[in-house]
Amino acid sequence: MIFFKTDEEIELLRQSNILVSKTLGYISGLLKVGVTGKKIDSAAEEFIRDHGGIPGFKGYKGFPATLCLSKNAEVVHGIPDEYAFTESDIISVDCGVLLNGFYGDSAYTFAFKNVGSDVLDLMKVTKKALYLGIEKCVPGNRIGDISFAIQQFCEKEHSYGIVRELVGHGVGRNLHEEPDVPNFGSKGKGPLLKPGMVIAIEPMVNLGDKKVRQLNDGWTIITRDGRPSVHFEHSVAIRPNGYDILSDHSYIENSIKNNIEIHDI
Ligand code: MG
Ligand code: MG
């Protein structure tokens, strides 16, 4: 069942998502060639706890870390490790926190300076697709309208592959609630959007084929063809007048303007 949120609950969800956003902004400044995912993960955990939150992913179904760090062909759910970033990497960073009983959830993909224009284009398209999906978050529309907008832009207008196995989701007192929010689908289909719904929209888009597989670590999802994949995510409330984006990528975007090792896409 879908849990509808009161205005007060939406404000609590905003606070959770702002802490996620500030955490992502903070780690944006730490992404440097030679730094390891583990180092970034520890910094994120410390930041979240210093601000009164609890890492939302750590321990979730046994996930061992605060962040999901997925590099290059990894799509999502990568486990931070001792790999040191290179100037050719892209890194998707997904962060969740629990604060005041509610979860925040948001993700962003970062590109180091030697990443090619084909991958930077994939990033721009995926990011734009996220906002095209968000624009459909008005009462009276259906989940399928969000799904269709994302799929149309990424697969029809650009020939990228949209991951089918993983989808966006409702978010609230639980990290994953109903409804599912697929990044593919048909206009006018699926659950009706009503004020009080809060959903995480998160296109996962591959440069090549849409097919993915899971690594033996039981978590990391990776493209089958080994080509790069990109992930952007916002948590969004449906309000009587339209959408209300609860997470805020401006913390990241302002931070990477000052990080010369990361592309400002
Ligand atoms: Mg996420
Ligand atoms: Mg999510």
Side-chain angles (χ1 to χ4, degrees):
M1 81 180 258
I2 295 171
F3 297 110
F4 290 87
K5 281 78 181 180
T6 64
D7 287 354
E8 291 73 21
E9 289 172 332
I10 288 172
E11 290 318 306
L12 291 173
L13 275 155
R14 191 188 314 279
Q15 289 177 25
S16 305
N17 276 288
I18 292 299
L19 179 51
V20 167
S21 303
K22 286 181 174 172
T23 306
L24 290 172
Y26 170 62
I27 65 98
S28 302
L30 306 178
L31 290 172
K32 307 276 178 185
V33 168
V35 170
T36 66
K38 265 218 155 126
K39 185 109 189 270
I40 298 294
D41 190 68
S42 309
E45 177 168 3
E46 191 176 341
F47 187 90
I48 290 166
R49 294 192 190 281
D50 283 351
H51 289 78
I54 297 167
F57 299 163
K58 199 167 195 176
Y60 181 80
K61 295 184 178 173
F63 189 76
T66 293
L67 302 174
C68 294
L69 289 181
S70 310
K71 60 187 178 293
N72 303 321
E74 296 172 1
V75 180
V76 288
H77 303 168
I79 300 171
D81 59 15
E82 297 295 349
Y83 174 86
F85 302 136
T86 78
E87 59 189 9
S88 306
D89 287 335
I90 58 166
I91 313 288
S92 147
V93 184
D94 196 346
C95 181
V97 308
L98 177 62
L99 180 71
N100 299 318
F102 287 90
Y103 282 92
D105 188 9
S106 180
Y108 200 92
T109 299
F110 299 86
F112 282 93
K113 277 296 177 187
N114 256 9
V115 168
S117 60
D118 54 343
V119 179
L120 295 176
D121 287 346
L122 172 68
M123 290 172 63
K124 287 173 196 162
V125 166
T126 306
K127 190 175 178 185
K128 173 141 189 231
L130 169 60
Y131 289 96
L132 291 174
I134 290 170
E135 285 173 14
K136 299 296 177 188
C137 291
V138 292
N141 274 354
R142 291 181 180 272
I143 292 289
D145 293 302
I146 301 169
S147 308
F148 180 83
I150 293 171
Q151 183 178 20
Q152 185 72 12
F153 189 61
C154 296
E155 282 192 344
K156 294 289 181 320
E157 292 187 40
H158 302 272
S159 296
Y160 299 136
I162 288 188
V163 174
R164 300 298 199 271
E165 289 84 349
L166 297 136
V167 296
H169 51 91
V171 58
R173 290 190 184 275
N174 307 290
L175 181 58
H176 294 121
E177 297 183 354
E178 289 181 27
D180 281 352
V181 185
N183 299 302
F184 54 93
S186 305
K187 274 186 202 172
K189 294 281 164 64
L192 189 61
L193 299 179
K194 295 179 190 167
M197 286 171 74
V198 178
I199 54 176
I201 304 177
E202 47 180 318
M204 290 155 260
V205 185
N206 301 345
L207 187 59
D209 191 78
K210 62 180 180 288
K211 292 197 188 73
V212 297
R213 65 188 174 92
Q214 190 172 48
L215 294 185
N216 290 334
D217 63 16
W219 283 104
T220 311
I221 305 295
I222 187 165
T223 58
R224 279 189 182 264
D225 64 10
R227 300 183 76 191
S229 184
V230 163
H231 179 215
F232 288 89
E233 178 181 28
H234 268 311
S235 291
V236 181
I238 316 296
R239 310 305 293 259
N241 298 328
Y243 61 83
D244 183 357
I245 307 175
L246 303 179
S247 40
D248 182 354
H249 285 171
S250 70
Y251 292 97
I252 298 168
E253 287 152 356
N254 290 330
S255 173
I256 57 181
K257 281 196 181 83
N258 298 313
N259 183 346
I260 55 164
E261 297 194 31
I262 301 292
H263 272 283
D264 187 5
I265 62 151

